[in-house]
Amino acid sequence: MFTSVLMIEKPLTSVDVEFVTTLHGDEGVSFIVLMQPRGDQADLLLRAIDDVAMGELKEATRESDEPEGKEAREPAELALEHSLRALRGAGCEAVGQVVEDHPLDKMKAVVEEAGADEVIVLTAPHYVEEFFHRDWASRARHKVGVPVLKLFAHSE
C-alpha cells in the first residue's frame, strides 16, 4: 500500500479525487489528509494579488470575507469530512485532520509517523508565494524527507 500525505486548503472536487487516486495506477493508496484552512496561511494582500494575477478581480475584492482563525475551523472540518468521504468512495483508505499551527512541522511529523511515501500539496495557484518559493510545496521539499508533488486544485 502506497501512503500519501495530502495537504489541501479546500474540499476536494471529483476531478481532484480522480486525479490523486489514479497517480499510482492500480496500486492501492492510503491518504492522510491535512486540511490547512485558507484564512491563516497567507496574508490578505498576497491572496488578493494572486486573484488579480489570475484575472479573478471579483475574488480579490472578496478576500476579506474569508473566515480566519476560529471562524475558519468549522468550514475546514466540513471540507475535510467531504474530502475523506470522496477518497473513501473512490476505494482508498483515508484519514485526516485540520491543521492550524505550524503546518509544515505537522506534515513532517505525519510523514515520519506514518512512514509516508510522498507528500502531495493540492492548492490553488499562489503566484507570489511560488515566485519566492514560499508556497507549501517549495517549503515542504526542504523539510519532509520524501518526494513532494505540487498539483493545482480544480473547481466545480
Side-chain angles (χ1 to χ4, degrees):
M1 175 84 50
F2 198 85
T3 302
S4 294
V5 174
L6 175 61
M7 180 174 247
I8 61 174
E9 62 185 4
K10 65 179 191 170
L12 296 175
T13 66
S14 59
V15 175
D16 293 332
V17 171
E18 182 178 353
F19 197 30
V20 299
T21 59
T22 59
L23 285 172
H24 301 290
D26 293 333
E27 187 172 355
V29 181
S30 172
F31 289 97
I32 303 168
V33 181
L34 301 178
M35 174 68 193
Q36 172 65 45
R38 186 170 185 223
D40 289 337
Q41 80 173 8
D43 102 332
L44 186 64
L45 178 60
L46 288 179
R47 292 193 319 250
I49 291 171
D50 283 338
D51 290 336
V52 170
M54 292 176 54
E56 297 175 356
L57 300 178
K58 289 182 183 179
E59 291 299 318
T61 62
R62 289 189 217 135
E63 282 298 339
S64 63
D65 296 339
E66 283 287 329
E68 296 199 21
K70 292 181 182 178
E71 291 177 10
R73 178 78 189 191
E74 186 176 343
E77 288 173 353
L78 293 172
L80 175 62
E81 283 306 313
H82 166 83
S83 299
L84 293 175
R85 278 194 308 275
L87 290 167
R88 291 174 188 143
C92 297
E93 293 179 14
V95 297
Q97 60 187 287
V98 174
V99 179
E100 296 179 74
D101 296 323
H102 310 291
L104 292 174
D105 292 339
K106 183 63 175 177
M107 183 189 298
K108 181 179 180 182
V110 168
V111 165
E112 290 172 356
E113 290 168 18
D117 299 294
E118 70 179 357
V119 168
I120 300 171
V121 178
L122 184 71
T123 68
H126 298 291
Y127 296 115
V128 175
E129 292 173 347
E130 290 167 23
F131 181 78
F132 292 106
H133 303 286
R134 300 301 303 155
D135 59 299
W136 293 123
S138 296
R139 293 167 55 199
R141 285 186 182 106
H142 303 288
K143 189 159 188 118
V144 298
V146 296
V148 176
L149 178 61
K150 179 179 183 166
L151 302 174
F152 292 124
H154 295 80
S155 52
E156 290 185 319

